[in-house]
Amino acid sequence: MKISIEERVLHFKQPAGTSRGVYTERKIWLLHLEDGNRKGVGECAPLPQLSCDDIPDYSEKLRTFCDDVERTGKIDYETMRDYPSMLFGMETALNDVRCKKEDTEGEAFSIPINGLVWMGTFDEMQQRIEQKLEQGFRCIKLKIGAIDFEAELELLKKIRERFGPRELELRVDANGAFKFDEALYKLELLSQYALHSIEQPIKAGQWADMAELCREAPLRIALDEELIGVNDPDQKRQLLNIIRPAYIILKPSLHGGMMGVREWVDIARDMSIGSWITSALESNVGLYAIARLAQEIYGPDIRMPQGLGTGQLFTDNIPMPLEIRGDRLVIKT
Protein backbone atom coordinates (compact mmCIF):
# COMPACT_ATOMS: atom_id res chain seq x y z
CA MET A 1 0.00 0.00 0.00
CA LYS A 2 1.26 3.47 -0.93
CA ILE A 3 -0.19 6.88 -0.07
CA SER A 4 0.83 10.14 -1.74
CA ILE A 5 -0.29 13.59 -0.65
CA GLU A 6 -1.38 16.37 -3.00
CA GLU A 7 -1.90 19.90 -1.71
CA ARG A 8 -4.48 21.93 -3.58
CA VAL A 9 -6.15 25.35 -3.24
CA LEU A 10 -9.79 25.75 -4.28
CA HIS A 11 -11.32 29.13 -5.09
CA PHE A 12 -14.81 30.27 -4.09
CA LYS A 13 -17.12 31.56 -6.80
CA GLN A 14 -18.09 34.34 -4.42
CA PRO A 15 -16.74 35.27 -0.98
CA ALA A 16 -18.23 33.04 1.72
CA GLY A 17 -18.99 35.17 4.77
CA THR A 18 -19.38 33.90 8.32
CA SER A 19 -19.23 35.66 11.69
CA ARG A 20 -15.59 34.47 11.88
CA GLY A 21 -14.57 36.12 8.64
CA VAL A 22 -14.76 35.74 4.87
CA TYR A 23 -13.37 32.83 2.85
CA THR A 24 -12.16 33.42 -0.71
CA GLU A 25 -10.08 30.25 -1.08
CA ARG A 26 -9.82 26.84 0.53
CA LYS A 27 -6.70 24.71 1.06
CA ILE A 28 -7.13 20.95 1.06
CA TRP A 29 -4.89 17.87 1.10
CA LEU A 30 -5.85 14.96 -1.16
CA LEU A 31 -4.66 11.48 -0.22
CA HIS A 32 -4.04 9.21 -3.21
CA LEU A 33 -3.90 5.61 -2.02
CA GLU A 34 -2.73 2.69 -4.16
CA ASP A 35 -3.18 -0.94 -3.18
CA GLY A 36 -2.08 -3.21 -6.01
CA ASN A 37 -3.99 -2.05 -9.07
CA ARG A 38 -6.71 -0.40 -6.96
CA LYS A 39 -6.74 3.31 -6.25
CA GLY A 40 -8.63 5.44 -3.80
CA VAL A 41 -8.78 9.12 -2.94
CA GLY A 42 -9.58 10.91 0.30
CA GLU A 43 -9.73 14.54 1.36
CA CYS A 44 -8.28 16.26 4.41
CA ALA A 45 -9.74 19.74 4.78
CA PRO A 46 -9.19 21.49 8.13
CA LEU A 47 -10.88 24.85 8.62
CA PRO A 48 -8.43 27.61 9.61
CA GLN A 49 -8.73 28.71 13.25
CA LEU A 50 -11.61 26.29 13.82
CA SER A 51 -10.51 22.67 13.35
CA CYS A 52 -8.84 21.14 16.40
CA ASP A 53 -6.16 19.78 14.06
CA ASP A 54 -5.46 23.08 12.32
CA ILE A 55 -1.79 22.94 13.26
CA PRO A 56 1.35 24.60 11.80
CA ASP A 57 2.98 21.27 10.91
CA TYR A 58 -0.16 19.81 9.34
CA SER A 59 1.58 18.36 6.28
CA GLU A 60 4.31 16.68 8.34
CA LYS A 61 1.84 15.17 10.80
CA LEU A 62 -0.34 13.91 7.95
CA ARG A 63 2.68 12.27 6.33
CA THR A 64 3.45 10.48 9.61
CA PHE A 65 -0.07 9.02 9.72
CA CYS A 66 0.18 7.99 6.07
CA ASP A 67 3.43 6.18 6.80
CA ASP A 68 1.73 4.30 9.65
CA VAL A 69 -1.16 3.20 7.44
CA GLU A 70 1.22 2.19 4.66
CA ARG A 71 3.09 -0.01 7.13
CA THR A 72 0.09 -1.58 8.91
CA GLY A 73 -2.66 -1.41 6.28
CA LYS A 74 -5.13 0.00 8.81
CA ILE A 75 -6.00 3.12 10.78
CA ASP A 76 -4.99 3.51 14.41
CA TYR A 77 -8.20 5.22 15.49
CA GLU A 78 -7.10 6.00 19.03
CA THR A 79 -3.98 7.77 17.77
CA MET A 80 -5.86 9.68 15.07
CA ARG A 81 -8.95 10.49 17.15
CA ASP A 82 -7.70 14.01 17.90
CA TYR A 83 -6.94 14.73 14.21
CA PRO A 84 -10.43 14.54 12.70
CA SER A 85 -9.77 16.08 9.28
CA MET A 86 -6.80 13.75 8.73
CA LEU A 87 -8.81 10.78 10.00
CA PHE A 88 -11.69 11.57 7.66
CA GLY A 89 -9.36 11.77 4.67
CA MET A 90 -7.76 8.45 5.56
CA GLU A 91 -11.13 6.75 6.14
CA THR A 92 -12.38 8.06 2.80
CA ALA A 93 -9.34 6.86 0.85
CA LEU A 94 -9.43 3.38 2.41
CA ASN A 95 -13.19 3.07 1.87
CA ASP A 96 -12.73 4.08 -1.75
CA VAL A 97 -10.18 1.31 -2.29
CA ARG A 98 -12.23 -1.31 -0.46
CA CYS A 99 -15.36 -0.54 -2.44
CA LYS A 100 -13.42 -0.99 -5.66
CA LYS A 101 -11.88 -4.23 -4.40
CA GLU A 102 -15.31 -5.62 -3.70
CA ASP A 103 -16.68 -4.23 -6.97
CA THR A 104 -19.57 -2.81 -5.01
CA GLU A 105 -21.90 -0.61 -6.98
CA GLY A 106 -25.23 0.54 -5.69
CA GLU A 107 -28.13 2.33 -7.25
CA ALA A 108 -28.18 6.11 -7.41
CA PHE A 109 -29.82 7.74 -4.42
CA SER A 110 -30.71 11.29 -3.40
CA ILE A 111 -30.72 13.23 -0.15
CA PRO A 112 -32.81 16.31 0.71
CA ILE A 113 -30.57 19.29 1.45
CA ASN A 114 -30.93 22.82 2.73
CA GLY A 115 -30.06 25.84 0.65
CA LEU A 116 -27.23 27.79 2.28
CA VAL A 117 -27.34 31.60 2.29
CA TRP A 118 -24.02 33.19 3.23
CA MET A 119 -23.66 36.42 5.16
CA GLY A 120 -23.56 39.64 3.21
CA THR A 121 -25.32 42.97 2.99
CA PHE A 122 -29.11 43.04 3.33
CA ASP A 123 -29.54 43.28 -0.45
CA GLU A 124 -27.02 40.50 -1.12
CA MET A 125 -28.68 38.13 1.32
CA GLN A 126 -32.13 38.92 -0.01
CA GLN A 127 -30.95 38.18 -3.56
CA ARG A 128 -29.36 34.91 -2.48
CA ILE A 129 -32.56 33.86 -0.73
CA GLU A 130 -34.54 34.55 -3.91
CA GLN A 131 -32.10 32.41 -5.89
CA LYS A 132 -32.50 29.49 -3.48
CA LEU A 133 -36.28 29.72 -3.64
CA GLU A 134 -36.21 29.81 -7.44
CA GLN A 135 -33.98 26.71 -7.43
CA GLY A 136 -36.68 24.84 -5.54
CA PHE A 137 -35.29 24.72 -2.00
CA ARG A 138 -37.88 24.23 0.73
CA CYS A 139 -35.38 24.42 3.58
CA ILE A 140 -33.05 27.42 3.81
CA LYS A 141 -30.23 28.00 6.26
CA LEU A 142 -29.13 31.58 6.81
CA LYS A 143 -25.82 32.61 8.31
CA ILE A 144 -26.53 35.44 10.75
CA GLY A 145 -24.50 37.58 13.12
CA ALA A 146 -22.45 39.73 10.76
CA ILE A 147 -24.86 42.47 9.68
CA ASP A 148 -27.21 44.50 11.87
CA PHE A 149 -29.49 42.18 13.88
CA GLU A 150 -32.57 44.29 13.07
CA ALA A 151 -31.80 43.89 9.37
CA GLU A 152 -31.58 40.13 9.82
CA LEU A 153 -34.96 40.13 11.54
CA GLU A 154 -36.36 42.14 8.64
CA LEU A 155 -35.06 39.50 6.21
CA LEU A 156 -36.80 36.74 8.15
CA LYS A 157 -39.98 38.79 8.31
CA LYS A 158 -40.01 39.26 4.54
CA ILE A 159 -39.57 35.51 4.01
CA ARG A 160 -42.34 34.61 6.42
CA GLU A 161 -44.71 37.10 4.79
CA ARG A 162 -44.36 35.03 1.62
CA PHE A 163 -43.94 31.50 2.96
CA GLY A 164 -45.38 29.92 6.09
CA PRO A 165 -43.48 27.29 8.10
CA ARG A 166 -45.28 24.45 6.30
CA GLU A 167 -44.09 25.79 2.95
CA LEU A 168 -40.54 26.71 3.91
CA GLU A 169 -38.32 25.52 6.75
CA LEU A 170 -35.93 28.18 8.06
CA ARG A 171 -32.74 27.44 9.94
CA VAL A 172 -30.28 30.06 11.16
CA ASP A 173 -26.63 29.71 12.14
CA ALA A 174 -25.11 32.31 14.44
CA ASN A 175 -21.63 30.71 14.56
CA GLY A 176 -21.35 31.81 18.20
CA ALA A 177 -21.98 35.49 17.40
CA PHE A 178 -24.29 36.33 20.34
CA LYS A 179 -23.12 37.35 23.79
CA PHE A 180 -24.73 35.28 26.51
CA ASP A 181 -26.36 38.24 28.28
CA GLU A 182 -28.20 39.21 25.09
CA ALA A 183 -28.77 35.75 23.61
CA LEU A 184 -32.10 34.88 25.25
CA TYR A 185 -33.64 38.19 24.19
CA LYS A 186 -32.44 37.69 20.60
CA LEU A 187 -33.71 34.11 20.55
CA GLU A 188 -37.12 35.34 21.69
CA LEU A 189 -37.20 37.83 18.81
CA LEU A 190 -36.11 35.17 16.32
CA SER A 191 -38.72 32.70 17.54
CA GLN A 192 -41.59 34.83 16.20
CA TYR A 193 -40.62 33.73 12.69
CA ALA A 194 -41.28 30.03 13.30
CA LEU A 195 -37.68 28.92 12.81
CA HIS A 196 -36.78 25.25 12.79
CA SER A 197 -33.67 25.86 14.92
CA ILE A 198 -30.70 28.09 15.60
CA GLU A 199 -27.18 26.75 15.39
CA GLN A 200 -24.56 27.67 18.00
CA PRO A 201 -26.00 30.98 19.32
CA ILE A 202 -23.07 31.64 21.69
CA LYS A 203 -19.40 30.72 21.53
CA ALA A 204 -18.38 27.17 22.34
CA GLY A 205 -17.03 26.20 25.73
CA GLN A 206 -19.76 27.79 27.86
CA TRP A 207 -21.54 24.59 28.80
CA ALA A 208 -23.58 25.98 31.70
CA ASP A 209 -24.69 29.03 29.73
CA MET A 210 -25.58 26.95 26.69
CA ALA A 211 -27.53 24.53 28.90
CA GLU A 212 -29.52 27.45 30.30
CA LEU A 213 -30.36 28.68 26.81
CA CYS A 214 -31.48 25.20 25.78
CA ARG A 215 -33.81 25.10 28.81
CA GLU A 216 -35.18 28.63 28.56
CA ALA A 217 -35.19 29.64 24.91
CA PRO A 218 -38.44 29.40 22.89
CA LEU A 219 -36.37 28.11 19.99
CA ARG A 220 -34.67 24.78 19.45
CA ILE A 221 -30.89 24.98 19.67
CA ALA A 222 -28.41 22.91 17.67
CA LEU A 223 -24.73 22.48 18.55
CA ASP A 224 -21.89 22.56 16.05
CA GLU A 225 -18.68 24.31 17.15
CA GLU A 226 -19.45 23.11 20.68
CA LEU A 227 -18.55 19.59 19.56
CA ILE A 228 -15.14 20.43 18.10
CA GLY A 229 -12.26 18.89 20.04
CA VAL A 230 -14.58 16.71 22.13
CA ASN A 231 -13.26 13.40 20.83
CA ASP A 232 -13.46 11.08 23.83
CA PRO A 233 -16.76 9.10 23.96
CA ASP A 234 -17.22 9.69 27.70
CA GLN A 235 -16.72 13.42 27.27
CA LYS A 236 -19.21 13.44 24.38
CA ARG A 237 -21.83 11.86 26.61
CA GLN A 238 -21.04 14.30 29.41
CA LEU A 239 -21.39 17.32 27.12
CA LEU A 240 -24.76 16.23 25.75
CA ASN A 241 -26.02 15.22 29.18
CA ILE A 242 -25.22 18.68 30.58
CA ILE A 243 -26.36 20.87 27.68
CA ARG A 244 -29.27 18.76 26.34
CA PRO A 245 -29.63 20.48 22.94
CA ALA A 246 -32.46 19.70 20.56
CA TYR A 247 -29.99 18.77 17.79
CA ILE A 248 -26.33 18.25 17.03
CA ILE A 249 -24.90 19.05 13.61
CA LEU A 250 -22.08 16.80 12.53
CA LYS A 251 -19.18 17.45 10.18
CA PRO A 252 -16.78 14.48 9.81
CA SER A 253 -13.81 16.79 9.17
CA LEU A 254 -14.44 18.58 12.47
CA HIS A 255 -16.14 16.03 14.68
CA GLY A 256 -13.99 12.92 14.66
CA GLY A 257 -14.10 11.58 11.12
CA MET A 258 -16.64 8.95 10.16
CA MET A 259 -15.97 7.00 13.35
CA GLY A 260 -16.52 10.07 15.53
CA VAL A 261 -19.75 11.01 13.77
CA ARG A 262 -21.15 7.53 14.34
CA GLU A 263 -20.28 7.83 18.04
CA TRP A 264 -22.00 11.20 18.32
CA VAL A 265 -25.15 9.92 16.61
CA ASP A 266 -25.36 6.81 18.81
CA ILE A 267 -24.94 8.82 22.02
CA ALA A 268 -27.44 11.46 20.87
CA ARG A 269 -30.02 8.82 20.01
CA ASP A 270 -29.72 7.38 23.51
CA MET A 271 -30.71 10.84 24.83
CA SER A 272 -33.46 11.50 22.22
CA ILE A 273 -31.37 14.27 20.66
CA GLY A 274 -31.76 14.74 16.93
CA SER A 275 -28.93 15.18 14.44
CA TRP A 276 -28.07 15.82 10.86
CA ILE A 277 -24.85 15.78 8.84
CA THR A 278 -23.27 18.61 6.92
CA SER A 279 -20.12 19.25 4.96
CA ALA A 280 -17.41 21.66 6.08
CA LEU A 281 -16.52 23.30 2.76
CA GLU A 282 -14.79 20.22 1.38
CA SER A 283 -14.40 19.63 -2.32
CA ASN A 284 -16.65 17.13 -4.07
CA VAL A 285 -14.33 14.33 -2.93
CA GLY A 286 -15.23 14.89 0.71
CA LEU A 287 -18.84 15.77 -0.10
CA TYR A 288 -19.35 12.47 -1.90
CA ALA A 289 -18.03 10.51 1.08
CA ILE A 290 -20.17 12.52 3.54
CA ALA A 291 -23.30 11.92 1.49
CA ARG A 292 -22.71 8.17 1.54
CA LEU A 293 -22.09 8.32 5.29
CA ALA A 294 -25.39 10.15 5.79
CA GLN A 295 -27.26 7.46 3.89
CA GLU A 296 -25.51 4.75 5.92
CA ILE A 297 -26.42 6.38 9.25
CA TYR A 298 -29.96 7.59 8.55
CA GLY A 299 -31.07 5.01 6.00
CA PRO A 300 -32.07 5.25 2.35
CA ASP A 301 -35.20 7.35 3.01
CA ILE A 302 -33.72 10.44 4.66
CA ARG A 303 -36.40 13.01 5.32
CA MET A 304 -34.59 15.70 7.31
CA PRO A 305 -32.65 18.03 4.99
CA GLN A 306 -28.90 17.60 5.40
CA GLY A 307 -26.28 20.33 4.99
CA LEU A 308 -24.76 18.97 1.80
CA GLY A 309 -25.33 21.76 -0.70
CA THR A 310 -21.72 22.98 -0.87
CA GLY A 311 -20.64 21.21 -4.06
CA GLN A 312 -21.19 24.27 -6.25
CA LEU A 313 -19.17 26.74 -4.19
CA PHE A 314 -15.85 26.49 -6.04
CA THR A 315 -14.73 27.53 -9.51
CA ASP A 316 -12.24 24.64 -9.65
CA ASN A 317 -13.99 21.80 -7.83
CA ILE A 318 -13.08 18.16 -8.44
CA PRO A 319 -15.49 16.19 -10.65
CA MET A 320 -17.43 13.49 -8.79
CA PRO A 321 -20.73 11.69 -9.51
CA LEU A 322 -22.80 14.32 -7.71
CA GLU A 323 -25.59 16.56 -8.95
CA ILE A 324 -28.05 18.95 -7.32
CA ARG A 325 -31.60 18.63 -8.64
CA GLY A 326 -33.94 21.09 -7.00
CA ASP A 327 -33.52 20.60 -3.27
CA ARG A 328 -31.89 17.17 -3.46
CA LEU A 329 -28.30 16.01 -3.81
CA VAL A 330 -28.19 13.09 -6.23
CA ILE A 331 -25.36 10.60 -5.72
CA LYS A 332 -24.62 8.41 -8.70
CA THR A 333 -22.90 5.34 -7.28
Side-chain angles (χ1 to χ4, degrees), residues 104-111 288 291-292 320-325 329-333:
T104 55
E105 289 192 11
E107 297 180 358
F109 63 94
S110 67
I111 296 174
Y288 180 80
R292 298 195 65 145
M320 292 292 287
L322 298 167
E323 179 184 353
I324 292 180
R325 298 178 191 168
L329 177 68
V330 180
I331 297 88
K332 306 169 187 177
T333 57

Side-chain angles (χ1 to χ4, degrees), residues 176 178-185 187 200-217 219 221 223 226 239 242-245:
F178 300 163
K179 296 178 181 178
F180 173 68
D181 59 4
E182 66 183 15
L184 188 57
Y185 174 66
L187 295 180
Q200 201 68 42
I202 62 175
K203 288 182 179 179
Q206 306 173 79
W207 289 14
D209 291 342
M210 187 69 85
E212 182 177 337
L213 290 179
C214 289
R215 287 193 306 268
E216 303 296 333
L219 185 57
I221 292 176
L223 303 183
E226 200 72 62
L239 181 151
I242 290 172
I243 298 179
R244 292 283 173 167

Side-chain angles (χ1 to χ4, degrees), residues 18 26 32-33 56 91 95 101 107 109 115 131 171 174 197 202 213-214 218 235 262 265 267 278 280 295 297 328:
T18 75
R26 180 80 164 99
H32 298 280
L33 190 152
E91 289 173 314
N95 283 350
K101 275 187 174 181
E107 297 180 358
F109 63 94
Q131 290 173 345
R171 301 171 177 173
S197 57
I202 62 175
L213 290 179
C214 289
Q235 193 178 13
R262 294 187 187 99
V265 171
I267 294 169
T278 181
Q295 190 204 32
I297 289 176
R328 300 187 74 88

Side-chain angles (χ1 to χ4, degrees), residues 30-99:
L30 295 176
L31 302 183
H32 298 280
L33 190 152
E34 296 183 28
D35 187 11
N37 62 347
R38 306 288 182 177
K39 297 181 179 181
V41 62
E43 177 178 358
C44 305
L47 282 170
Q49 301 179 344
L50 184 61
S51 298
C52 63
D53 57 353
D54 174 36
I55 54 178
D57 58 342
Y58 190 94
S59 297
E60 292 79 6
K61 191 66 176 179
L62 180 58
R63 182 67 258 172
T64 298
F65 286 134
C66 289
D67 293 343
D68 291 341
V69 173
E70 285 181 341
R71 186 177 64 256
T72 65
K74 60 183 181 180
I75 296 171
D76 182 346
Y77 282 99
E78 291 309 309
T79 301
M80 294 195 70
R81 184 181 284 277
D82 292 330
Y83 301 87
S85 67
M86 300 184 200
L87 175 55
F88 175 63
M90 201 72 73
E91 289 173 314
T92 303
L94 282 170
N95 283 350
D96 197 19
V97 167
R98 286 166 184 162
C99 286

Side-chain angles (χ1 to χ4, degrees), residues 98-314:
R98 286 166 184 162
C99 286
K100 290 170 181 174
K101 275 187 174 181
E102 297 163 6
D103 293 323
T104 55
E105 289 192 11
E107 297 180 358
F109 63 94
S110 67
I111 296 174
I113 59 175
N114 61 246
L116 179 59
V117 176
W118 292 99
M119 290 178 177
T121 66
F122 182 93
D123 291 339
E124 287 171 340
M125 292 184 72
Q126 188 170 30
Q127 182 180 12
R128 291 167 189 169
I129 290 167
E130 293 289 345
Q131 290 173 345
K132 295 301 179 185
L133 295 174
E134 289 174 3
Q135 291 166 7
F137 284 96
R138 288 298 169 259
C139 175
I140 291 179
K141 172 180 170 180
L142 287 83
K143 295 276 189 178
I144 63 172
I147 63 174
D148 178 70
F149 184 65
E150 294 299 323
E152 292 169 339
L153 292 178
E154 184 64 23
L155 267 175
L156 294 170
K157 179 182 177 181
K158 287 180 177 293
I159 298 172
R160 276 292 174 245
E161 286 174 348
R162 292 178 55 191
F163 301 98
R166 292 193 177 188
E167 299 171 282
L168 181 67
E169 182 176 289
L170 286 175
R171 301 171 177 173
V172 294
D173 180 4
N175 283 128
F178 300 163
K179 296 178 181 178
F180 173 68
D181 59 4
E182 66 183 15
L184 188 57
Y185 174 66
K186 288 188 172 182
L187 295 180
E188 289 172 349
L189 293 177
L190 288 166
S191 69
Q192 66 187 307
Y193 300 111
L195 304 183
H196 172 271
S197 57
I198 181 169
E199 185 175 336
Q200 201 68 42
I202 62 175
K203 288 182 179 179
Q206 306 173 79
W207 289 14
D209 291 342
M210 187 69 85
E212 182 177 337
L213 290 179
C214 289
R215 287 193 306 268
E216 303 296 333
L219 185 57
R220 290 175 292 189
I221 292 176
L223 303 183
D224 176 3
E225 287 92 339
E226 200 72 62
L227 313 179
I228 296 173
V230 182
N231 298 316
D232 177 76
D234 290 337
Q235 193 178 13
K236 292 178 181 181
R237 189 173 296 276
Q238 181 185 28
L239 181 151
L240 294 185
N241 190 47
I242 290 172
I243 298 179
R244 292 283 173 167
Y247 301 102
I248 56 174
I249 302 171
L250 298 163
K251 300 178 174 73
S253 290
L254 293 177
H255 301 136
M258 296 183 185
M259 174 202 68
V261 165
R262 294 187 187 99
E263 285 180 351
W264 277 115
V265 171
D266 288 344
I267 294 169
R269 283 172 173 166
D270 287 345
M271 299 183 185
S272 299
I273 295 170
S275 66
W276 68 87
I277 291 178
T278 181
S279 53
L281 306 182
E282 293 90 355
S283 76
N284 281 337
V285 172
L287 182 60
Y288 180 80
I290 296 169
R292 298 195 65 145
L293 176 65
Q295 190 204 32
E296 174 193 325
I297 289 176
Y298 300 118
D301 186 24
I302 301 175
R303 297 191 178 184
M304 177 177 283
Q306 308 291 298
L308 303 177
T310 57
Q312 298 176 326
L313 292 178
F314 304 108

